[in-house]
Amino acid sequence: MQHGKYRFIVGFLIVPLAFYAIFVIWPFIQSIYYSFTNWTGLSPQFSVTGLDNYRRMMNDPTFWASFRHSVIYVLVLPVVVLAIALFLSFMLNVGGRRKKGAAVAGVQGSSFYKIVYFFPQVLSIAIVALLFQFLYNPDSGALNAFLDAIGLGGVQPEWLGDPGLALWCVMAVLMWSQVGFFVVLFSAGMASIPKDFYEAALLDGASRATTFFRITLPLLWDTVQSGWVYMGVLSLGAESFAVTQIMTVGPGGPADSTNVLSLYVYQKAFHSGQAGYATAIGVALLLVTLVFAAGVLRMGRRERLEF
């Protein structure tokens, strides 16, 4: 009977595991192999060059600028996005005025607010990037027009053309586009927390801030930790690539001020025909992602709370 059970389980697992190995594991292995070659990406002819690509990478100032920007993304974006999303979710679910017969409640119209916050997720990231590119336009953009309307016409930043501002402008777009997803995610988690916990805490004299740090955050921690890793992967991967590629000139911004590792991989692979070197940069990006995910899981490890 046991042997029949194992055959049944293996029969269900073998096909998805085979697909995973072919379409996920094997491309990773290929990328690592190509990072030790001088492959152009266009010709089947290439040779193994050992660690040449990695030595070149260590002496490449553009790589280090891109690496630094990616690290800023992965350290700043998840923290800011999750903090804003947690605050908004808490207000939507617990921060409203007391209703008749209930000690805690969300703000009025919370369902409508959730739709508004989630709206950027409906839009393609390419559309979002184009909209903000027009918004940041120094000549006809809404931001400089607003500054002019309130009497700050002398303050007309170049925004995406300023090496000191461009990176933060791009990051602001990613924050705006991702907060809504986590608001809905955290709201779903908070809705499952029994209201009795909050009512008991408030009867004991706890403030709203205390209930957040003592009740909401501990019981929602697993969701927050998963969102932290997910947001970090997004900030290192396709989202940062798409926004930077579309919004900034170069691409990579003025003086490479917005270049990130994912975009630098694209530039070397498809613009310069240096696929071998691009895969070496991709391996570095993979290591950064793994270190970030392992660090978050390690720092956030705590005893699981249940209710």
Side-chain angles (χ1 to χ4, degrees), residues 95-106 198-199 202-203 206 208:
R97 295 182 178 179
R98 299 182 183 185
K99 295 181 180 179
K100 186 177 180 180
V104 294
Y198 294 107
E199 293 173 1
L202 292 173
L203 287 174
R208 292 288 185 180

Side-chain angles (χ1 to χ4, degrees), residues 11-304:
F12 268 94
L13 289 179
I14 191 168
V15 174
L17 286 177
F19 274 101
Y20 185 80
I22 293 171
F23 294 106
V24 179
I25 302 299
W26 181 240
F28 274 115
I29 296 173
Q30 282 184 309
S31 297
I32 294 172
Y33 169 71
Y34 285 130
S35 70
F36 295 102
T37 70
N38 60 359
W39 184 42
T40 64
L42 301 174
S43 171
Q45 305 299 324
F46 61 87
S47 59
V48 176
T49 58
L51 297 173
D52 287 355
N53 287 328
Y54 291 95
R55 294 192 190 97
R56 175 185 171 188
M57 190 170 64
M58 292 297 103
N59 296 300
D60 185 351
T62 305
F63 165 78
W64 286 113
S66 304
F67 179 86
R68 183 173 63 255
H69 298 153
S70 293
V71 170
I72 292 173
Y73 270 58
V74 81
L75 292 179
V76 175
L77 276 176
V79 174
V80 175
V81 169
L82 296 185
I84 295 173
L86 280 169
F87 172 76
L88 294 176
S89 302
F90 186 75
M91 295 303 296
L92 291 176
N93 291 274
V94 188
R97 295 182 178 179
R98 299 182 183 185
K99 295 181 180 179
K100 186 177 180 180
V104 294
V107 297
Q108 292 185 354
S110 59
S111 298
F112 171 74
Y113 290 133
K114 290 176 186 177
I115 295 174
V116 172
Y117 293 142
F118 190 76
F119 177 72
Q121 287 290 312
V122 180
L123 299 175
S124 164
I125 191 64
I127 299 299
V128 171
L130 285 173
L131 289 174
F132 274 87
Q133 187 181 46
F134 291 127
L135 183 74
Y136 286 131
N137 189 296
D139 299 321
S140 58
L143 278 179
N144 281 356
F146 172 75
L147 292 175
D148 186 56
I150 62 174
L152 295 176
V155 182
Q156 297 287 304
E158 290 291 332
W159 301 112
L160 296 175
D162 186 341
L165 289 176
L167 181 68
W168 303 103
C169 291
V170 174
M171 289 176 65
V173 176
L174 290 172
M175 292 174 192
W176 180 85
S177 66
Q178 295 301 322
V179 164
F181 170 79
F182 292 101
V183 168
V184 174
L185 178 66
F186 294 152
S187 293
M190 290 180 191
S192 66
I193 299 175
K195 293 292 189 291
D196 295 345
F197 293 0
Y198 294 107
E199 293 173 1
L202 292 173
L203 287 174
D204 288 338
S207 64
R208 292 288 185 180
T210 302
T211 59
F212 174 78
F213 287 106
R214 296 292 185 178
I215 298 175
T216 304
L217 192 57
L219 294 177
L220 203 65
W221 184 251
D222 288 344
T223 305
V224 173
Q225 189 179 48
S226 300
W228 198 352
V229 174
Y230 176 68
M231 188 61 211
V233 173
L234 280 182
S235 63
L236 287 170
E239 299 291 314
S240 61
F241 162 77
V243 173
T244 307
Q245 168 76 356
I246 294 170
M247 290 182 62
T248 61
V249 296
D256 284 320
S257 59
T258 61
N259 217 345
V260 289
L261 287 177
S262 54
L263 179 58
Y264 197 41
V265 169
Y266 171 81
Q267 292 169 353
K268 289 300 179 184
F270 298 102
H271 288 182
S272 305
Q274 301 173 24
Y277 184 49
T279 54
I281 300 170
V283 171
L285 177 59
L286 171 64
L287 292 176
V288 172
T289 306
L290 292 176
V291 168
F292 167 77
V296 169
L297 295 175
R298 176 75 177 179
M299 290 188 300
R301 189 167 56 188
R302 57 191 296 174
E303 185 178 352
R304 183 180 179 86

